[in-house]
Amino acid sequence: MTEDGKVVSVVHLAGELAPFARTGGLGEAVASIARHQSRSGPTAVVMPLYRKVRDAGWDMEPVGDPFEVQVGARPATARLWLLREGVDGLAEVKAYFIENDAYFDRPGLYGEEGSDYPDNALRYAFFCLAALQALPRIAPGPAILHAHDWHMALAAVYLRTRLAKQPYYRQVSTVLTVHNAGYQGHFSPDVMTTLGLPWDLFNWRHLEWYGRVNLLKGGLVFSDMVTTVSPTHAYELRTPAGGFGLDGVFVGLKDRFIGITNGIDMAVWDPSSDPRIPATYSVDSLAGKRRCRAALQRAFGIRPRARIPIFALTARLVSQKGLDLILGDPGYFALDAQYIFLGQGEPRYEQALKEIAARAPARIAVETNFSEDLEHLLLAGADMCLMPSQYEPCGLTQMRAQRYGTIPIARRVGGLADTIEDGVTGFLFDDYTPADFMKSAMRAIGQYAEQPGWREMMKEAMTRDFGWERSSAKYRQVYKRVLSWTAAR
């Protein structure tokens, strides 16, 4: 609410939103943020009307007539759609979709067969401009525009340049959340003309980055506030080692940049009531976890052994997730343990893991067809969750795992450092080397052998509160700051 008592709408712009379309944690994080914010006031999310969304048959209605969007020299028609009824988990959130078949009626969200669509800059520039033009229909009064990652970063650029003189848009506050700074939207300089941006913005202060256009950088510079998804990652992004080449920009933001840890839905990820697992259990009664363990072994075709640790990984099989460390020490798979991998990713990692599993199918399994049901079963039945990430802005899996008494083995980076207490609820290591990872795995096995101590560790992990309430309160503080700055403009 503004100082003069007007209700403020929060409008999120996102390339993904669960349950409609997502490729990773971004869509789930945006849905969770919006869901909790909707309890305090009007909240909406706007995303592209991808083919995947259209084909799912969601019940939508058009909001007004189609309208023209001019991106550079290329006009195109957009149409705004609104979901008629809320879906589970987003009942109070208004979900809007921007339609343009030429840009969004495609098999993939960002690309196909491991390659990005070559016109992604134009696709998301069109989306950002269309969303801005539709914003008065979505939020006729005061609004906070909350953009997510590089795809939506141009919204702040257009808002403060092309639309800067229009009274409605001068009163729109902007927040940009960086979920993964490893993806920035780099394009050749000639994209400035394609996107209809003035060439005087192609400089080191705004959009230029080592001779390329960097869309994320533009969003950082033009947004009122910038957040990332954990305090430790906010620190890392300000360093040459962790800033992905934008550390100077993050440092330059000063107090306009903070880290707010993501949360998880504590009701969905609750082993005492989870309908997706074969047996429920709780801190006071852990017996159900043994049944989940047996069901997990059956589901993945590994030998039903009781007194042996099960290491599990559920993630995209990419270098960021530390697969090189797992594969880097041959002695790791020689441990008296079982191993389950769930997820798909780079062919080299899929192939390497499948070859190892083929040599020991009774104790190593790989499943590249991810499903949420399998992920729930995996976290309920396993003993240890592997997250030896190169970097991890926040991570959600380590929080879910702890809720299920499955102890994370993780590198001390980003949100992993903020949500795992070493030796108490998990095992952390520092150096990105197979040797340091192996030491941490051996620590976990040593603790597992002392079952009374292991059970106490499980119980401590299961009691941790990873809900969104505290994070939502911090976002409200950010919003109050940007509203005060907007009022003073």
Side-chain angles (χ1 to χ4, degrees):
M1 188 171 289
T2 61
E3 293 182 356
D4 57 359
K6 294 180 180 178
V7 175
V8 178
S9 297
V10 177
V11 181
H12 294 269
L13 303 186
E16 305 179 20
L17 178 65
F20 306 105
R22 68 187 183 101
T23 62
L26 171 62
E28 184 175 346
V30 174
S32 296
I33 295 170
R35 177 172 61 253
H36 283 81
Q37 290 175 344
S38 67
R39 300 169 184 172
S40 303
T43 306
V45 183
V46 191
M47 69 174 292
L49 184 58
Y50 297 114
R51 179 185 297 178
K52 181 176 182 179
V53 180
R54 186 197 299 277
D55 289 352
W58 297 99
D59 186 16
M60 303 180 191
E61 62 182 0
V63 181
D65 295 328
F67 54 96
E68 186 174 279
V69 178
Q70 184 81 30
V71 182
R74 299 183 59 170
T77 300
R79 186 155 202 179
L80 183 68
W81 293 84
L82 171 65
L83 194 72
R84 289 183 188 272
E85 295 183 4
V87 298
D88 289 345
L90 289 173
E92 303 301 322
V93 177
K94 290 188 175 180
Y96 291 89
F97 302 86
I98 298 289
E99 177 187 25
N100 179 283
D101 288 350
Y103 290 133
F104 304 123
D105 185 16
R106 303 183 184 186
L109 273 58
Y110 309 123
E112 299 171 41
E113 298 179 354
S115 298
D116 290 342
Y117 292 125
D119 62 345
N120 271 349
L122 184 59
R123 296 174 73 222
Y124 290 106
F126 168 84
F127 174 85
C128 288
L129 272 174
L132 287 169
Q133 287 180 218
L135 193 59
R137 306 184 191 185
I138 298 168
I144 296 170
L145 193 68
H146 191 153
H148 296 269
D149 272 349
W150 78 263
H151 319 93
M152 305 296 127
L154 275 175
V157 180
Y158 286 133
L159 188 70
R160 300 300 180 224
T161 56
R162 181 185 294 197
L163 303 174
K165 295 182 179 180
Q166 299 186 29
Y168 172 84
Y169 294 104
R170 281 204 301 270
Q171 296 307 305
V172 175
S173 305
T174 56
V175 176
L176 172 64
T177 293
V178 180
H179 296 262
N180 191 334
Y183 301 93
Q184 301 176 5
H186 299 152
F187 299 94
S188 63
D190 57 11
V191 81
M192 296 290 292
T193 301
T194 304
L195 304 184
L197 294 170
W199 274 100
D200 59 9
L201 293 182
F202 187 67
N203 65 74
W204 69 272
R205 294 183 182 275
H206 297 112
L207 286 160
E208 188 272 336
W209 185 82
Y210 296 98
R212 305 272 286 171
V213 171
N214 187 317
L215 300 187
L216 179 63
K217 179 181 178 180
L220 298 175
V221 171
F222 282 99
S223 294
D224 295 323
M225 280 283 292
V226 176
T227 71
T228 192
V229 290
S230 72
T232 294
H233 193 56
Y235 165 78
E236 293 167 344
L237 288 174
R238 292 182 172 102
T239 67
F244 299 95
L246 289 175
D247 50 290
V249 181
F250 285 111
V251 169
L253 292 171
K254 298 181 181 178
D255 65 348
R256 291 171 48 219
F257 176 48
I258 66 169
I260 301 175
T261 305
N262 281 340
I264 60 173
D265 190 320
M266 299 283 280
V268 171
W269 297 96
D270 183 353
S272 69
S273 59
D274 189 344
R276 298 175 186 254
I277 61 178
T280 56
Y281 58 96
S282 67
V283 171
D284 298 321
S285 178
L286 293 172
K289 189 166 177 69
R290 289 194 295 272
R291 290 179 57 192
C292 292
R293 172 194 178 89
L296 176 66
Q297 290 168 322
R298 289 195 300 272
F300 283 84
I302 58 178
R303 184 178 301 155
R305 292 179 61 188
R307 299 184 180 277
I308 183 173
I310 300 177
F311 290 92
L313 181 144
T314 171
R316 291 176 296 115
L317 303 181
V318 295
S319 59
Q320 179 206 334
K321 298 302 181 179
L323 273 299
D324 291 316
L325 303 191
I326 294 171
L327 296 168
D329 188 334
Y332 175 62
F333 287 103
L335 298 173
D336 188 20
Q338 294 180 333
Y339 307 83
I340 299 175
F341 297 87
L342 175 62
Q344 57 182 249
E346 296 180 40
R348 57 179 173 140
Y349 293 125
E350 291 186 13
Q351 182 178 347
L353 289 172
K354 287 179 178 179
E355 288 177 356
I356 293 171
R359 294 196 292 268
R363 61 187 190 88
I364 303 174
V366 179
E367 177 55 71
T368 56
N369 292 318
F370 173 88
S371 75
E372 292 188 6
D373 286 345
L374 282 178
E375 184 172 46
H376 278 251
L377 176 60
L378 187 71
L379 294 180
D383 298 297
M384 303 159 194
C385 176
L386 299 176
M387 296 192 72
S389 306
Q390 280 186 316
Y391 68 95
E392 196 67 60
C394 180
L396 300 176
T397 305
Q398 79 278 10
M399 299 184 230
R400 298 167 179 164
Q402 289 173 79
R403 286 281 285 162
Y404 286 73
T406 299
I407 304 303
I409 299 172
R411 189 156 172 257
R412 200 190 311 266
V413 291
L416 302 177
D418 292 328
T419 57
I420 301 169
E421 189 173 354
D422 186 40
V424 179
T425 65
F427 298 92
L428 297 174
F429 65 98
D430 295 297
D431 295 339
Y432 190 72
T433 62
D436 217 23
F437 164 67
M438 189 67 165
K439 289 178 184 177
S440 190
M442 294 304 295
R443 285 174 60 206
I445 287 178
Q447 183 65 64
Y448 182 83
E450 301 293 333
Q451 277 296 298
W454 185 262
R455 283 193 294 272
E456 289 305 310
M457 198 173 199
M458 290 172 57
K459 291 179 180 180
E460 182 62 33
M462 292 172 72
T463 62
R464 295 299 168 100
D465 182 0
F466 297 118
W468 273 98
E469 285 69 20
R470 282 177 291 185
S471 299
S472 294
K474 292 179 181 178
Y475 276 114
R476 285 195 295 272
Q477 294 171 3
V478 169
Y479 292 164
K480 287 179 180 178
R481 288 181 67 185
V482 297
L483 285 172
S484 68
W485 296 340
T486 300
R489 269 202 288 265

